[in-house]
């Protein structure tokens, strides 16, 4: 059974990927979806000098940096080559508590930043559905979260970073430069990020004030989002993709803001910035195949929709519960069984809502058993040449990889997305056909030219870059 090469950071266990005294070992590496494993030499640099030495020693198959292994597909894999586990570079160098910036190593996780920064009244500017991603990974994938419609993606909040390039040089890369825009969203293919300076968000408490409401169908949901999303800093909708007919796209819409101090009960005001994530038992190492079939997922979806309030305002939730509910269950990706799962995420622009409707109907008619399906609105696009967000809509769904005919079905959805001028998220992909890529990412040619100039020997290589000819 394929396994994650880098240990799950929610586990207090020792690191099975090796140690500084064991500088490299051959291991089977997968993404978080636990599909398409390949074997690589896993290297564990603990200093910038060791990282530079690892890059020089990559060999003909090259190398790629890896953080905490939360990319779903093959972006942080490199069959026959080297994979640089950057989690050993995890120092926080400086915090400007007055100006709201942090300088840290690329291997620092968002979880660690929250532990340190929340008590000081600061929060990370953008977080995805897990806080167990590194700052380097956040830049390389140009991650987005529930606040993209107002705050953009992670790269928009990065002031500068240090990049180890293929020639062994360490370059300070600043905003509004070609190398900055090629690296934010560049999936680690321009070099190894060593440090970054990130602008933070001020908060008064570690709680969220959350509004929840049900939407009867997809059109109802999109109308609510279009009319009122600008009132909220964070917004996301869970969709029942097994619902059909008049209920197609029925949803639970959740939106929130950081709670002000006066919204807290008196007891909570004693420690308003305490960071106390919930933790539950780990998912078992063995899960029977077919556990998440249409029957069980259909029952879950029905219960989840029915238990949601028709309308509720101002509920106080912990930051961890609002942003990262699955992080409380270590190794939750095991619940899909030995075959793993595919997370499929695409975006289409404003004015292309009919394409989104068609895709949702097709998924519902296909009876894809997805209980983790979310729809968000994207705001202004970001400058990264391969950055995923574009103004419009994005849908993400998890599907068991063992579902019969899944590959052909997703190929059809890719064609639908491309035909609507949309794109697939590279940080979650392990199967997109390369001929569709240029239409999805208009600045792909510029990225390839800069990469060829910066790295003519192809030192930085991944399974993703070979598959898509990046």
């Amino acid at each position: 059974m394929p396994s994650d090469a880098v240990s799950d950071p929610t586990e207090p266990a020792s690191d099975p990927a090796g140690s500084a005294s064991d500088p490299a070992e051959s291991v089977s590496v997968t993404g978080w979806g636990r599909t398409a494993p390949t074997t690589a030499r896993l290297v564990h640099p603990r200093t910038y000098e060791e990282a530079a030495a690892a890059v020089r020693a990559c060999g003909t198959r090259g190398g790629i940096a890896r953080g905490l292994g939360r990319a779903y597909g093959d972006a942080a894999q490199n069959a026959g080559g080297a994979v640089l586990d950057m989690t050993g570079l995890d120092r926080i160098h400086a915090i400007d508590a007055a100006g709201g910036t942090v300088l840290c190593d690329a291997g620092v996780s968002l979880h660690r930043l929250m532990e340190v920064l929340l008590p000081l009244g600061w929060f990370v500017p953008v977080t995805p559905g897990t806080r167990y991603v590194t700052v380097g990974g956040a830049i390389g994938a140009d991650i987005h979260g529930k606040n993209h419609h107002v705050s953009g993606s992670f790269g928009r909040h990065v002031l500068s970073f240090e990049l180890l390039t293929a020639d062994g040089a360490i370059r300070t890369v600043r905003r509004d430069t070609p190398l900055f825009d090629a690296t934010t969203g560049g999936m680690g293919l321009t070099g190894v990020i060593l440090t970054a300076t990130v602008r933070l968000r001020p908060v008064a408490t570690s709680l969220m004030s959350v509004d929840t409401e049900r939407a009867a169908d997809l059109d109802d949901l999109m109308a609510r989002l279009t009319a009122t999303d600008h009132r909220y800093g964070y917004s996301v909708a869970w969709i029942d993709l097994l619902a059909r007919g008049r209920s197609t796209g029925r949803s639970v819409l959740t939106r929130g803001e950081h709670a002000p101090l006066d919204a807290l009960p008196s007891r909570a005001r004693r420690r308003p910035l305490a960071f106390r994530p919930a933790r539950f038992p780990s998912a078992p190492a063995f899960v029977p195949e077919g556990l998440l079939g249409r029957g069980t997922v259909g029952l879950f979806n029905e219960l989840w929709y029915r238990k949601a309030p028709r309308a509720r305002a101002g509920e106080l939730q912990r930051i961890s519960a609002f942003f990262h509910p699955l992080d409380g269950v270590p190794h939750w990706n095991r619940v899909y069984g030995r075959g793993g799962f595919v997370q499929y995420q695409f975006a289409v622009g404003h004015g292309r809502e009919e394409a989104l409707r068609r895709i949702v109907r097709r998924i519902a008619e296909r009876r894809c058993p997805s209980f983790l399906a979310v729809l968000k609105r994207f705001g202004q696009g970001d400058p990264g040449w391969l950055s995923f967000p574009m103004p419009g809509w994005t849908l993400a769904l998890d599907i068991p990889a063992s579902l019969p005919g899944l590959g052909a079905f997703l190929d059809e959805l890719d064609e639908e997305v491309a035909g609507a001028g949309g794109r697939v998220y590279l940080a979650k992909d392990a199967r997109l056909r390369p001929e569709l890529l240029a239409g999805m990412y208009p600045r792909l040619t510029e990225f390839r030219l800069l990469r060829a100039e910066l790295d003519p020997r192809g030192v930085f290589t991944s399974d993703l870059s070979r598959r898509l000819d990046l």
Side-chain angles (χ1 to χ4, degrees), residues 314-378:
E315 180 190 15
L316 292 178
Q317 294 182 8
R318 293 180 182 181
I319 273 178
S320 57
F322 181 77
F323 290 106
H324 317 118
L326 286 174
D327 280 348
V329 183
H331 301 298
W332 66 261
N333 57 339
R334 292 174 178 170
V335 301
Y336 290 90
R338 294 171 61 90
F341 69 101
V342 172
Q343 179 158 111
Y344 185 72
Q345 183 167 5
F346 67 90
V348 293
H350 292 301
R352 299 290 188 166
E353 286 79 6
E354 189 53 42
L356 176 61
R357 293 186 184 97
R358 284 195 303 269
I359 291 173
V360 169
R361 285 196 297 267
R362 291 184 66 176
I363 294 170
E365 291 165 0
R366 181 69 169 69
R367 308 293 287 158
C368 291
S370 176
F371 75 97
L372 292 175
V374 296
L375 181 77
K376 296 192 289 279
R377 288 179 76 238
F378 278 155

Side-chain angles (χ1 to χ4, degrees), residues 137-163:
I139 296 170
D142 200 17
I143 60 170
H144 57 272
K146 296 178 175 68
N147 60 340
H148 190 277
H149 63 295
V150 293
S151 298
S153 60
F154 195 87
R156 191 181 297 185
H157 305 272
V158 176
L159 303 179
S160 64
F161 52 81
E162 289 185 308
L163 187 71

Side-chain angles (χ1 to χ4, degrees), residues 342-348 355-356 358-360 362-363 388 395 397 399 405-426 428-441 467-468:
V342 172
Q343 179 158 111
Y344 185 72
Q345 183 167 5
F346 67 90
V348 293
L356 176 61
R358 284 195 303 269
I359 291 173
V360 169
R362 291 184 66 176
I363 294 170
F388 169 65
L395 177 65
L397 59 148
I399 314 171
L406 179 61
F409 177 64
L410 293 181
D411 285 346
E412 294 172 4
L413 295 191
D414 289 342
E415 295 281 356
E416 182 96 39
V417 170
R423 59 185 59 150
V424 168
Y425 192 13
L426 297 183
K428 296 183 177 180
D429 177 60
R431 35 147 307 277
L432 181 69
R433 301 197 312 276
E435 61 268 22
L436 295 177
L437 191 65
M440 293 181 172
Y441 290 90
R467 176 170 55 84
L468 295 178

Side-chain angles (χ1 to χ4, degrees), residues 45-376:
R46 295 293 187 264
T47 65
Y48 306 147
E49 293 76 15
E50 288 182 7
V55 168
R56 289 193 296 269
C58 278
T60 58
R61 294 288 288 180
I64 193 70
R66 181 182 175 100
L68 288 165
R70 292 302 176 106
Y72 285 79
D74 57 1
Q77 300 173 211
N78 183 24
V83 170
L84 280 63
D85 172 7
M86 297 300 295
T87 57
L89 290 167
D90 59 355
R91 291 169 295 175
I92 297 176
H93 295 281
I95 299 170
D96 181 350
T101 62
V102 61
L103 169 63
C104 63
D105 284 345
V108 172
S109 70
L110 299 191
H111 173 84
R112 179 60 180 154
L113 287 183
M114 291 177 198
E115 285 184 322
V116 173
L117 296 171
L118 264 173
L120 302 177
W122 296 99
F123 190 60
V124 295
V126 172
T127 177
T130 175
R131 60 186 178 273
Y132 293 112
V133 297
T134 62
V135 169
I139 296 170
D142 200 17
I143 60 170
H144 57 272
K146 296 178 175 68
N147 60 340
H148 190 277
H149 63 295
V150 293
S151 298
S153 60
F154 195 87
R156 191 181 297 185
H157 305 272
V158 176
L159 303 179
S160 64
F161 52 81
E162 289 185 308
L163 187 71
L164 172 63
T165 51
D167 58 4
I170 296 178
R171 308 185 185 203
T172 298
V173 183
R174 304 191 187 280
R175 298 185 56 82
D176 302 318
T177 62
L179 187 52
F180 188 99
D181 293 343
T183 302
T184 52
M187 307 310 297
L189 297 172
T190 60
V192 178
I193 299 169
L194 298 176
T195 69
T197 300
V198 181
R199 186 173 54 242
L200 305 169
R201 175 172 182 155
V203 295
T205 75
S206 61
L207 295 176
M208 302 295 296
S209 177
V210 181
D211 294 355
T212 304
E213 57 191 288
R214 290 198 317 220
D217 56 34
L218 184 60
D219 285 341
D220 183 22
L221 171 63
M222 290 194 293
R224 292 171 189 249
L225 287 168
T226 300
T228 60
D229 236 19
H230 63 281
R231 301 176 188 170
Y232 296 89
Y234 301 94
S235 177
V236 66
W238 168 88
I239 295 188
D240 181 0
L241 288 178
L242 284 174
R244 293 183 290 182
R246 295 171 59 183
S247 297
T248 298
R250 66 178 182 177
S251 312
V252 178
L253 177 56
T254 307
R255 296 182 284 190
E257 291 283 1
H258 294 278
L261 185 61
D262 60 12
L264 272 57
S266 56
R267 179 177 297 180
R269 293 183 195 179
R270 298 172 191 169
R271 297 183 62 199
L273 291 165
F275 181 48
R276 296 186 295 266
R279 184 179 175 86
F280 302 99
S282 176
F286 173 76
V287 177
E289 293 298 316
L291 177 65
L292 296 182
R294 294 185 180 98
T296 53
V297 172
L299 177 61
F300 171 87
N301 287 4
E302 181 70 26
L303 293 174
W304 191 260
Y305 181 77
R306 295 293 177 187
K307 86 173 189 65
R310 293 185 181 276
R312 180 176 62 201
E315 180 190 15
L316 292 178
Q317 294 182 8
R318 293 180 182 181
I319 273 178
S320 57
F322 181 77
F323 290 106
H324 317 118
L326 286 174
D327 280 348
V329 183
H331 301 298
W332 66 261
N333 57 339
R334 292 174 178 170
V335 301
Y336 290 90
R338 294 171 61 90
F341 69 101
V342 172
Q343 179 158 111
Y344 185 72
Q345 183 167 5
F346 67 90
V348 293
H350 292 301
R352 299 290 188 166
E353 286 79 6
E354 189 53 42
L356 176 61
R357 293 186 184 97
R358 284 195 303 269
I359 291 173
V360 169
R361 285 196 297 267
R362 291 184 66 176
I363 294 170
E365 291 165 0
R366 181 69 169 69
R367 308 293 287 158
C368 291
S370 176
F371 75 97
L372 292 175
V374 296
L375 181 77
K376 296 192 289 279

